[in-house]
């Protein structure tokens, strides 16, 4: 059985860089160019070391790092507030991305980015294609947006918190099943993506509603669904559908990727 290790490239790089930069946040003046170069060097070295550890931990037969050019895409066209409050990548880090990708290539891991496509959708499409062919996938990211993909053959691992996610960890944190997460976040909001959710619906209400059925339509039809809550959701149906569309990962992108292109051989 093939095992594909999928690295959320920018998620990994930006967190590593932020950790390197943190001691300088309270400096009275911008750090020097020499310091900036040292931060980039340290980020590159840590990136390579961590990915080597990940390959030793998961022992994949195939591996790929997925990046994206920009967060401006079809989601921002539908909903301009999407990720609008995120800080832009530092320019010198953006410039250093080719060198960082080369660090990965040096240990046998190729990088992929698709114009106008978020890494999330590329990774989700690859993961679902592998699952369809009964192969195994491990996604490495701190982005909770991948959690709805959790299923037999698809794992999500948070390296920085050393956490292997599962249906059980999702239920403990959110109170719903992985396949209900998009509906849950659409109801209560998702600060990570700047999604407001529906006014007046909090986590407790959303959790109780989704216990009444696997999807919102079924839950609203349940006799135990409060009439006021039903009216509120029906009135906000268009907004809810928009949020669900934005938060749902695409799983059907045609990427033209041959698995043989990303075969991994341990160093």
């Amino acid at each position: 059985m093939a095992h594909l290790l999928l690295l959320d490239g920018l998620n990994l790089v930006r967190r590593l860089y932020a950790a390197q930069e943190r001691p300088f946040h309270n400096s009275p003046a911008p750090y020097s160019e020499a310091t900036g170069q040292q931060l980039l060097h340290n980020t590159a070295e840590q990136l390579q070391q961590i990915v080597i550890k990940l390959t030793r931990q998961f022992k994949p037969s195939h591996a790929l790092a997925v990046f994206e050019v920009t967060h401006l895409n079809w989601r921002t066209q539908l909903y301009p507030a999407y990720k609008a409050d995120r800080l832009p990548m530092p320019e010198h880090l953006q410039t250093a991305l080719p060198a960082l990708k080369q660090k990965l290539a040096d240990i046998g891991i190729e990088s992929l980015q698709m114009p106008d496509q978020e890494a999330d959708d590329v990774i989700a499409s690859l993961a679902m294609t592998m699952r369809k062919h009964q192969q195994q996938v491990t996604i490495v990211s701190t982005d909770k947006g991948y959690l709805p993909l959790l299923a037999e053959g698809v794992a999500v691992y948070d390296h920085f918190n050393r956490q292997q996610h599962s249906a059980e960890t999702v239920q403990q944190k959110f109170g719903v099943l992985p396949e209900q997460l998009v509906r849950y976040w659409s109801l209560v909001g998702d600060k990570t993506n700047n999604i407001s959710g529906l006014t007046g619906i909090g986590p407790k209400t959303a959790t109780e509603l989704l216990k009444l059925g696997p999807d919102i339509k079924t839950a609203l039809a349940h006799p135990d669904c409060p009439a006021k809550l039903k009216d509120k959701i029906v009135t906000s149906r268009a907004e809810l559908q928009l949020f669900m569309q934005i938060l749902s990962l695409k799983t059907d992108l045609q990427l033209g990727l041959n698995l043989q292109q990303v075969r991994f051989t341990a160093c």
Side-chain angles (χ1 to χ4, degrees):
M1 177 185 293
H3 179 190
L4 175 61
L5 182 68
L6 287 172
L7 305 175
D8 186 353
L10 286 186
N11 177 274
L12 188 54
V13 165
R14 293 201 66 171
R15 284 187 171 267
L16 288 173
Y17 181 81
Q20 294 294 322
E21 192 183 38
R22 193 170 296 121
F24 298 91
H25 281 178
N26 296 322
S27 300
Y31 43 77
S32 67
E33 182 178 347
T35 299
Q37 291 302 314
Q38 187 62 50
L39 293 178
L40 292 174
H41 172 78
N42 293 347
T43 299
E45 292 300 311
Q46 282 205 3
L47 175 65
Q48 192 176 70
Q49 292 170 14
I50 286 172
V51 172
I52 288 173
K53 288 181 180 179
L54 287 168
T55 59
R56 291 174 177 170
Q57 176 180 349
F58 291 106
K59 298 179 174 56
S61 58
H62 300 76
L64 181 69
V66 181
F67 290 81
E68 61 194 52
V69 182
T70 173
H71 73 274
L72 297 175
N73 53 61
W74 64 271
R75 288 185 173 90
T76 53
Q77 292 175 2
L78 281 175
Y79 187 66
Y82 176 68
K83 293 186 178 180
D85 56 350
R86 290 197 183 184
L87 294 174
M89 185 186 305
E91 185 176 346
H92 64 291
L93 180 57
Q94 178 74 48
T95 303
L97 284 179
L100 294 169
K101 292 176 184 178
Q102 185 58 51
K103 277 287 186 181
L104 296 175
D106 290 343
I107 56 174
I109 296 181
E110 296 299 321
S111 296
L112 173 69
Q113 63 184 38
M114 302 293 292
D116 303 320
Q117 298 291 349
E118 286 194 84
D120 309 34
D121 294 321
V122 175
I123 287 174
S125 294
L126 288 168
M128 290 300 100
T129 298
M130 291 290 288
R131 183 172 187 264
K132 180 180 178 182
H133 290 89
Q134 299 182 321
Q135 306 302 318
Q136 185 177 356
V137 176
T138 297
I139 300 168
V140 178
S141 180
T142 63
D143 188 343
K144 70 180 187 298
Y146 294 113
L147 296 179
L149 300 176
L150 283 169
E152 184 178 354
V154 180
V156 179
Y157 180 70
D158 178 348
H159 165 76
F160 295 96
N161 290 309
R162 303 293 193 274
Q163 184 176 22
Q164 182 83 38
H165 290 289
S166 65
E168 289 73 24
T169 64
V170 167
Q171 284 192 296
Q172 288 172 6
K173 185 171 183 178
F174 300 103
V176 298
L177 298 170
E179 57 267 30
Q180 294 177 306
L181 280 171
V182 168
R183 301 178 185 93
Y184 173 82
W185 290 326
S186 298
L187 289 166
V188 305
D190 177 16
K191 290 183 179 179
T192 303
N193 291 308
N194 205 30
I195 300 297
S196 62
L198 302 189
T199 303
I201 297 183
K204 182 177 179 180
T205 300
T207 301
E208 290 301 316
L209 174 67
L210 292 172
K211 285 180 180 177
L212 300 178
D215 55 62
I216 293 175
K217 182 179 180 180
T218 305
L220 292 178
H222 196 283
D224 291 340
C225 179
K228 287 185 178 180
L229 177 59
K230 182 176 181 178
D231 290 343
K232 183 181 295 186
I233 292 176
V234 170
T235 301
S236 304
R237 180 179 298 167
E239 190 178 21
L240 179 62
Q241 289 177 340
L242 174 63
F243 293 155
M244 289 181 61
Q245 183 180 1
I246 291 169
L247 292 172
S248 297
L249 295 179
K250 285 189 174 183
T251 59
D252 58 355
L253 296 182
Q254 300 301 309
L255 303 173
L257 183 71
N258 189 314
L259 202 58
Q260 295 301 318
Q261 296 173 265
V262 295
R263 181 172 290 281
F264 177 75
T265 303
C267 300

